[in-house]
Amino acid sequence: MSIGGEKGSASTKTPADFLKSIRGRPVVVKLNSGVDYRGILACLDGYMNIAMEQTEEYVNGQLKNKYGDAFIRGNNVLYISTSKRTLAEGSS
Amino acid sequence: MATNPSQLLPSELIDRCIGSKIWVIMKGDKELVGTLRGFDVYVNMVLEDVTEYEITAEGRRITKLDQILLNGNNIAIVSDNHSFNVYMPLFREVTSLWTISQTN
């Protein structure tokens, strides 16, 4: 694929677009500490502050805790990932 | 002076990578490879078909992800797929040592 070959609004998805598109969807949020949070994304903002529902906390791929509602402060977030594949049993 | 065509802003360089596979090296023994879909002024990135390589106290781990918004805060280096093609084979050589965390 040539550099910039697909450049254009059709294929470009900025972080703002992404944030808009994932509200209400199941997501995986990984923190800088390496801990994963999987759940339904209730809402989020431009700081990557996140409110999640049905949250599961995974440390080293193992379920450690569950929270009905959880707020994650954006500065701790490494990435937010969509998960139509729920990661639940994937990691070892 | 300001319009010298040989001048290129760093962000233009990244913009040229939209749609291509890029290699992101993070602070702290973590690297990601994926297709760049977009980025913003903080160099937060939207990446697709991502492979995450991390080295932790528990060992090496590879994670596959569909689509992610990567926080720009911990990004150290971004490289295009040419460098990736040169260096990635070295990585693959040692993938047998990695724990594969397949996510689907």
Side-chain angles (χ1 to χ4, degrees), chain A:
Chain A
M1 189 182 298
S2 65
I3 291 178
E6 283 190 4
K7 190 174 168 286
S9 57
S11 64
T12 305
K13 191 172 192 183
T14 64
D17 298 332
F18 181 84
L19 293 177
K20 269 182 247 167
S21 71
I22 60 167
R23 207 161 297 173
R25 303 253 308 268
V27 292
V28 181
V29 176
K30 192 183 190 106
L31 305 192
N32 291 317
S33 59
V35 182
D36 279 349
Y37 291 88
R38 294 160 203 194
I40 310 298
L41 193 137
C43 69
L44 79 176
D45 63 19
Y47 297 108
M48 295 197 205
N49 292 323
I50 293 165
M52 285 173 85
E53 292 168 349
Q54 303 164 37
T55 314
E56 298 174 329
E57 181 181 63
Y58 288 82
V59 182
N60 300 321
Q62 288 181 321
L63 182 59
K64 291 284 164 162
N65 231 326
K66 289 187 180 184
Y67 309 97
D69 276 301
F71 172 82
I72 300 171
R73 196 170 188 275
N75 65 310
N76 302 294
V77 174
L78 175 70
Y79 64 68
I80 306 168
S81 171
T82 54
S83 70
K84 62 173 181 283
R85 6 161 113 171
T86 42
L87 295 178
E89 55 282 291
S91 42
S92 50

Side-chain angles (χ1 to χ4, degrees), chain B residues 71-83:
Chain B
N71 194 333
N73 197 34
N74 297 305
I75 293 176
I77 298 175
V78 179
S79 191
D80 65 359
N81 79 28
H82 305 294
S83 323

Side-chain angles (χ1 to χ4, degrees), chain B residues 29-79:
Chain B
D29 286 339
K30 196 188 296 287
E31 306 189 13
L32 298 104
V33 172
T35 306
L36 181 66
R37 285 297 166 217
F39 67 100
D40 64 15
V41 292
Y42 305 107
V43 198
N44 298 320
M45 288 177 173
V46 178
L47 296 170
E48 236 171 50
D49 302 323
V50 182
T51 310
E52 178 192 7
Y53 303 84
E54 57 185 332
I55 302 174
T56 64
E58 289 73 32
R60 300 153 189 246
R61 184 194 294 269
I62 293 175
T63 312
K64 305 270 191 188
L65 301 153
D66 265 351
Q67 191 174 57
I68 70 169
L69 171 57
L70 181 67
N71 194 333
N73 197 34
N74 297 305
I75 293 176
I77 298 175
V78 179
S79 191

